[in-house]
Amino acid sequence: MEPDLFTAAAEERQAQDPSASPLAVRMRPRTLDDVVGQQHLLRQGSPLRRLVGEGGGGPAGPSSVLLWGPPGTGKTTLAYVVSQATDKRFVELSAITAGVKEVRAVIESARRSSGAYSKDTVLFLDEIHRFSKAQQDSLLPAVENRWVTLIAATTENPYFSVISPLLSRSLLLTLEALTEDDVRSLIHRAVAEERGLGGSVTLPPEAEDHLLRIAGGDARRALTALEAGAGAALAKGETSVTLATLEEAVDRAAVTYDRDGDQHYDVASALIKSIRGSDVDAALHYLARMVEAGEDPRFIARRLMISASEDIGLADPTALQTAVAAAQAVAMIGFPEARITLGHAVVALSLAPKSNAACVAIDAALGDVRKGLAGPVPPHLRDSHYQGSAKLGHGKGYQYPHDLPGAIAAQQYAPDAIHGKRYYEPTRYGAEARYAEVAERVRERLRGGGGAAPEETREPRKAREPGKSGQPPEPRQSRKAGEAEEERTGEE
């Protein structure tokens, strides 16, 4: 709404006495060039620059925009910069306190201002997702006819929280979370500049790092915590915001963790070893340390996927599925909600039965290959689909397993150099116990032994007709075939 006498008086007092305003308000940029981060939205000719009068007008005037991004990324700041830099009339509303009546009043006032003074109006509507469908509908005529240029801000996905007609009449600009460097530069500016703390305090590196962890990419949170820490230091007669003072002021202990040093690897190692040791409580502790320190959730998720194969394997085949699903979810949602998904995965992996047999098996096979134990592929296994392969003896003598009882052919598959060597030695833990039994039966059959094979009573299929380009026949679909495959692979 238009500022009244009391609002104007309050703004004048804040201008004369900076301490009357929060540090986050005082440090708001005054021009688009002062904005930290969001450079992808501030290029020359961008909608925001056109809103402040940098080119464009008439029939190609600036469009209404929807600003969508996490808290503290600069949505309100960008609107404030527009209000300071534009020669247009600027009106601010919050969907928390305003309704249709207030919106219509602004629109009517904008039409009068445009007609009487040829002055356009920019309407900033914060938290637009809090408006109902009917309330958002009230904006449509003004936006469509450009009676107002709308800048609407939301932290919610606008495709779910903003009506389609309003979306189609506006440009959707997505704000990205601020990087550590973005927040760091803002903190340095707040400590040094007169409108900030004016150099009254200093911020040691360890306290600055803690401040960045607290912020989590939220500029407003960083400045609020800085102001609290500076106030606590000055109250004690100190000019340095030490780590201890900052911890007291924000009531949040610093976590000893260096994402680029020993702590990063030590805590990550402790997490994986706790999962391997099935200590769910210790694993959750180390996960909490990583989360609290602001570790990249994708790094944690990657470690869990590795653990699922390296330490659990076939003892619980669902462990890898859980870890992969957690990684996908984490990539989509990020912190703080990702902590729940990571906790879910850590608990599941910690309490799962353990086996490193698959890991040992592939490493043993790799070891032999690196030693040169490879050798040529047996002739009957070589590709026989191309013309002339039969003259080379390729495929000769190959037995098609699906033509045989139990779908297992007693023939040599490995090269001579490693024929008879065993890499996979399954444990008897969890689901791998069944794999162990299946592996023993299959190996016995492959050696030509008389061990019972799965579904041995199954009748063999007819051999394929000669002259069919050497391709195996189409698999016959039968319930017995499916059952035999189930038992052979050990899957439920």
Side-chain angles (χ1 to χ4, degrees):
M1 299 297 292
E2 298 288 355
D4 55 24
L5 181 62
F6 299 104
T7 302
E11 291 176 352
E12 183 179 352
R13 175 175 175 251
Q14 289 177 346
Q16 295 174 351
D17 181 12
S19 62
S21 298
L23 180 61
V25 173
R26 303 200 304 270
M27 290 308 301
R28 277 180 178 165
R30 292 164 179 166
T31 68
L32 289 178
D33 293 331
D34 293 337
V35 174
V36 172
Q38 315 309 337
Q39 296 306 306
H40 63 293
L41 300 180
L42 301 176
R43 299 187 183 97
Q44 293 300 320
S46 68
L48 291 175
R49 290 199 176 274
R50 297 179 67 207
L51 275 173
V52 301
E54 295 183 13
S63 303
S64 293
V65 297
L66 291 172
L67 302 176
W68 172 34
T73 51
K75 298 182 295 296
T76 305
T77 293
L78 289 172
Y80 175 80
V81 170
V82 171
S83 73
Q84 296 294 305
T86 185
D87 58 355
K88 300 178 178 65
R89 179 169 165 268
F90 189 89
V91 182
E92 180 178 354
L93 289 179
S94 172
I96 299 175
T97 57
V100 173
K101 178 182 177 182
E102 289 78 10
V103 170
R104 287 176 176 167
V106 171
I107 293 172
E108 184 59 32
S109 177
R111 295 183 67 181
R112 289 198 304 268
S113 177
S114 178
Y117 308 107
S118 298
K119 197 170 187 65
D120 296 330
T121 299
V122 175
L123 169 60
F124 173 57
L125 181 59
D126 202 9
E127 308 282 352
I128 190 174
H129 58 272
R130 294 180 180 269
F131 261 8
S132 66
K133 180 179 181 297
Q135 288 173 313
Q136 292 184 32
D137 281 337
S138 66
L139 292 163
L140 289 177
V143 172
E144 184 168 16
N145 294 292
R146 205 174 284 175
W147 297 333
V148 299
T149 300
L150 176 68
I151 303 178
T154 178
T155 57
E156 303 290 334
N157 189 330
Y159 291 104
F160 300 117
S161 59
V162 178
I163 60 174
S164 297
L166 193 55
L167 270 175
S168 67
R169 290 163 173 80
S170 309
L171 291 175
L172 177 59
L173 305 182
T174 304
L175 281 74
E176 299 172 351
L178 299 181
T179 66
E180 276 199 3
D181 288 339
D182 292 335
V183 179
R184 192 187 304 275
S185 67
L186 186 58
I187 291 172
H188 291 172
R189 188 187 301 173
V191 170
E193 291 187 6
E194 286 300 322
R195 59 176 171 149
L197 299 175
S200 58
V201 294
T202 58
L203 191 65
E206 62 272 13
E208 182 179 295
D209 290 341
H210 184 40
L211 200 57
L212 292 172
R213 285 193 290 267
I214 293 172
D218 187 325
R220 187 184 301 109
R221 187 184 302 167
L223 292 174
T224 300
L226 172 61
E227 186 173 26
L234 293 173
K236 294 191 294 185
E238 300 173 353
T239 58
S240 177
V241 184
T242 64
L243 178 59
T245 300
L246 187 59
E247 287 178 312
E248 293 171 3
V250 300
D251 193 26
R252 186 163 174 179
V255 179
T256 304
Y257 192 88
D258 181 359
R259 281 188 283 174
D260 296 318
D262 291 342
Q263 284 291 324
H264 168 80
Y265 297 104
D266 289 347
V267 176
S269 174
L271 169 66
I272 297 307
K273 287 173 180 173
S274 297
I275 292 174
R276 182 181 299 147
S278 300
D279 191 333
V280 63
D281 301 303
L284 285 170
H285 165 78
Y286 291 117
L287 172 64
R289 283 173 64 167
M290 298 174 82
V291 170
E292 186 68 8
E295 180 59 82
D296 186 345
R298 296 169 298 179
F299 168 77
I300 304 174
R302 288 194 296 269
R303 298 303 307 170
L304 295 182
M305 286 191 288
I306 295 169
S307 174
S309 287
E310 181 180 7
D311 296 318
I312 299 172
L314 292 174
D316 182 356
T318 68
L320 181 58
Q321 299 172 13
T322 299
V324 170
Q328 292 173 338
V330 161
M332 294 178 67
I333 61 179
F335 281 145
E337 291 82 0
R339 77 191 190 284
I340 306 170
T341 302
L342 291 172
H344 170 180
V346 164
V347 170
L349 269 56
S350 296
L351 298 181
K354 304 297 189 295
S355 169
N356 71 341
C359 177
V360 171
I362 183 59
D363 285 347
L366 283 169
D368 279 352
V369 170
R370 289 163 182 163
K371 293 174 186 175
L373 295 176
V377 174
H380 61 282
L381 298 184
R382 296 179 189 177
D383 182 17
S384 60
H385 288 76
Y386 62 92
Q387 189 174 6
S389 61
K391 295 180 181 179
L392 299 175
H394 292 185
K396 184 178 181 180
Y398 173 68
Q399 299 180 66
Y400 187 58
H402 294 293
D403 288 342
L404 303 173
I408 298 175
Q411 60 188 343
Q412 180 178 336
Y413 289 95
D416 291 339
I418 61 161
H419 181 51
K421 193 156 191 176
R422 294 171 61 144
Y423 293 116
Y424 179 52
E425 297 291 349
T427 69
R428 297 285 171 168
Y429 303 133
E432 196 166 40
R434 186 175 181 186
Y435 284 90
E437 296 170 1
V438 172
E440 285 303 317
R441 290 200 303 269
V442 170
R443 282 167 173 161
E444 180 66 21
R445 287 293 299 246
L446 290 174
R447 288 193 298 268
E455 296 292 335
E456 191 163 9
T457 58
R458 165 185 164 193
E459 294 182 4
R461 280 185 282 171
K462 294 180 180 179
R464 60 180 178 271
E465 297 179 14
K468 293 289 185 179
S469 72
Q471 293 187 2
E474 291 294 323
R476 182 178 65 183
Q477 299 298 322
S478 71
R479 184 168 180 272
K480 282 190 174 184
E483 290 173 349
E485 184 65 10
E486 283 184 4
E487 182 169 353
R488 192 164 69 87
T489 60
E491 293 181 350
E492 294 294 341

